[in-house]
Amino acid sequence: MVLVSLRGAQRARFWLAWVLAFSVVLAGCSSAATAPSGAQGSAGSQNGAQGEVLIGVMGPLTGDSAEYGKIWRRGFDLALEEINAAGGVQGRPLNYVFEDTQSDPKQSPAVAQKFVNDPRVVAVIGDFSSPASMAASPIFQRAGLVQLGITNSHPDFTKTGDFIWSNSTSQTDEAPFLARLAVEQLGRKRLAVLHQNTDWGKTTADLFVEQARALGAEVVLQEAYLLTEKDFRPVLTKARDAQPDALVLISYYNDGALIAQQIPAVGLDVTVLAASSVYSPQFLNLGGAAVEGVYTVSRFHPADPRPEAQQFVERFRERYGTDPDTFAAGAYDGMKILAAVLNRVGVDRKALRDGLEQAENLETILQGVTAFGEDRRLRNPRFVPLVVRGGAFAIWNP
């Protein structure tokens, strides 16, 4: 009898535990089903009046482009210090969560969906590369979540819809500026162009070539290369045989530095120009003496004499012990823009989109006081020519 009673008690405890566990599962499912949708949910409604306002960031923290993500974080953190010291957003602290995508178009959509499904996230910054960003843009557009591209220069980036914005300039402006630097200011007339075999790389190269030809230059070679390429000597030999007087690289800092290092091996002795994406300390670190004399363009340089730029440079140097570059300034500006508009319109996804459209007199490091145009990019882009001199980027003057 005792044995039977014990078994009965064990069965009772088993069924009681099962019922409790099942109740927890049902409660969890009910909670997920009733959470506000990503398209309409307000970050404030989930965090309470004093909760954080959260920005999602997607970009490279590992992989070949990781240095860009590291530079971004410095710009973000400096901006957050100032924003939160001034009262945050609507009296609440502003913060961000950074998801690593390696700037890979295959990884960015999953991260985008994660941000869309998190009602705490009121806006997203990123990705770094235009291909990775554009792979995610339709997800943000359908969900009604603002995507702010701070480095996305592909002309089509903002064309996905009215929730896709950028404080980066378009290659329709930058590539022609680089062409004018090569042809008009440096006097180069026979150009060999090497570019990444990506949509961004080809689009940028085509825009450069179009302007260069319009200025009377001859493009003796236009060749694509894979991002995984390590031995550039075959294509550099092809460039040498075309007898250019300038080599133009539509590259990032890692592939651009590697190409520059291999140029002497094929006996190619020409002026080298590169897209603004090489403007990074890593280009100098990886390229060493091989990148000395390389020309590029930028939207920013620490020697910019404007008072707001010099204040930013001073604060950046004080905190990090080094100079900021365009990517740090763009990240700083991006966070500041979102905070300024959220403070005006309230912490809400749809209100933020409307606020960006209506915002005037946005204070930025890269472009001064500005506003967004009809293409959802900041108006009045500005560029400065740079050259690597003495192991550092310097403003170039003719």
Side-chain angles (χ1 to χ4, degrees):
M1 292 296 292
V2 174
L3 180 60
V4 172
S5 297
L6 286 173
R7 287 176 176 170
Q10 289 171 342
R11 283 197 298 271
R13 286 194 296 270
F14 169 80
W15 286 110
L16 179 60
W18 187 89
V19 169
L20 289 173
F22 187 65
S23 299
V24 171
V25 172
L26 285 177
C29 292
S30 175
S31 175
T34 57
S37 69
Q40 302 299 329
S42 163
S45 65
Q46 296 301 301
N47 290 324
Q50 301 305 315
E52 289 183 332
V53 177
L54 198 61
I55 305 297
V57 178
M58 53 196 299
L61 292 175
T62 60
D64 289 342
S65 298
E67 184 68 16
Y68 293 118
K70 175 183 174 183
I71 294 170
W72 272 13
R73 295 189 82 152
R74 291 179 170 183
F76 293 148
D77 291 346
L78 190 62
L80 285 184
E81 279 187 3
E82 298 172 11
I83 292 165
N84 289 329
V89 170
Q90 298 275 317
R92 297 160 54 187
L94 181 65
N95 206 347
Y96 68 93
V97 55
F98 201 135
E99 292 284 347
D100 182 17
T101 64
Q102 298 187 335
S103 202
D104 183 351
K106 296 178 182 177
Q107 298 187 44
S108 58
V111 173
Q113 194 62 57
K114 181 177 180 179
F115 284 145
V116 161
N117 293 339
D118 187 343
R120 300 172 303 159
V121 175
V122 73
V124 172
I125 291 175
D127 207 300
F128 169 73
S129 74
S130 290
S133 299
M134 293 167 72
S137 293
I139 297 171
F140 293 124
Q141 180 64 31
R142 286 194 299 269
L145 178 60
V146 164
Q147 178 189 22
L148 179 67
I150 59 175
T151 53
N152 303 133
S153 61
H154 193 294
D156 292 341
F157 170 68
T158 60
K159 293 181 181 179
T160 298
D162 60 350
F163 278 83
I164 314 302
W165 299 73
S166 179
N167 66 320
S168 173
T169 53
S170 169
Q171 284 299 338
T172 55
D173 295 310
E174 181 183 313
F177 186 94
L178 185 64
R180 290 192 292 273
L181 173 61
V183 180
E184 293 183 332
Q185 299 189 57
L186 296 176
R188 302 302 183 258
K189 300 297 184 182
R190 292 177 57 83
L191 311 177
V193 181
L194 304 185
H195 64 87
Q196 292 182 0
N197 191 24
T198 64
D199 189 22
W200 170 82
K202 186 178 187 307
T203 299
T204 302
D206 287 346
L207 289 167
F208 174 89
V209 167
E210 180 182 9
Q211 181 65 48
R213 285 174 172 160
L215 295 172
E218 180 182 1
V219 178
V220 297
L221 177 73
Q222 182 177 346
E223 193 84 9
Y225 63 85
L226 298 175
L227 286 173
T228 55
E229 199 76 52
K230 299 301 179 186
D231 184 2
F232 292 95
R233 288 172 296 180
V235 71
L236 286 171
T237 298
K238 195 172 181 180
R240 179 203 64 197
D241 293 346
Q243 299 183 330
D245 57 12
L247 178 68
V248 181
L249 307 179
I250 310 300
S251 310
Y252 292 164
Y253 65 71
N254 44 4
D255 42 312
L258 194 57
I259 293 172
Q261 286 181 323
Q262 295 178 26
I263 288 174
V266 302
L268 181 59
D269 184 16
V270 293
T271 298
V272 179
L273 299 96
S276 66
S277 41
V278 306
Y279 181 35
S280 164
Q282 282 297 91
F283 183 66
L284 306 176
N285 295 338
L286 295 173
V291 301
E292 189 74 11
V294 172
Y295 294 86
T296 187
V297 300
S298 175
R299 300 164 61 204
F300 172 80
H301 188 272
D304 187 328
R306 292 174 300 139
E308 63 269 31
Q310 283 306 301
Q311 290 171 9
F312 168 69
V313 170
E314 183 178 343
R315 290 193 298 268
F316 196 93
R317 284 173 177 165
E318 182 178 348
R319 171 152 185 178
Y320 300 112
T322 187
D323 283 342
D325 60 13
T326 307
F327 302 105
Y332 176 91
D333 278 351
M335 197 64 74
K336 285 276 199 167
I337 288 169
L338 292 176
V341 177
L342 287 167
N343 259 319
R344 294 176 188 174
V345 303
V347 183
D348 179 83
R349 291 181 175 184
K350 173 70 165 54
L352 174 61
R353 192 223 70 84
D354 295 344
L356 288 169
E357 187 174 69
Q358 299 162 7
E360 296 288 343
N361 301 319
L362 292 169
E363 297 180 2
T364 70
I365 301 302
L366 293 180
Q367 289 174 231
V369 178
T370 185
F372 288 98
E374 292 184 1
D375 60 354
R376 292 182 294 283
R377 291 184 184 272
L378 292 181
R379 300 171 185 160
N380 305 320
R382 54 192 299 275
F383 302 98
V384 58
L386 304 179
V387 63
V388 179
R389 183 180 296 143
F393 289 102
I395 294 177
W396 180 77
N397 293 303

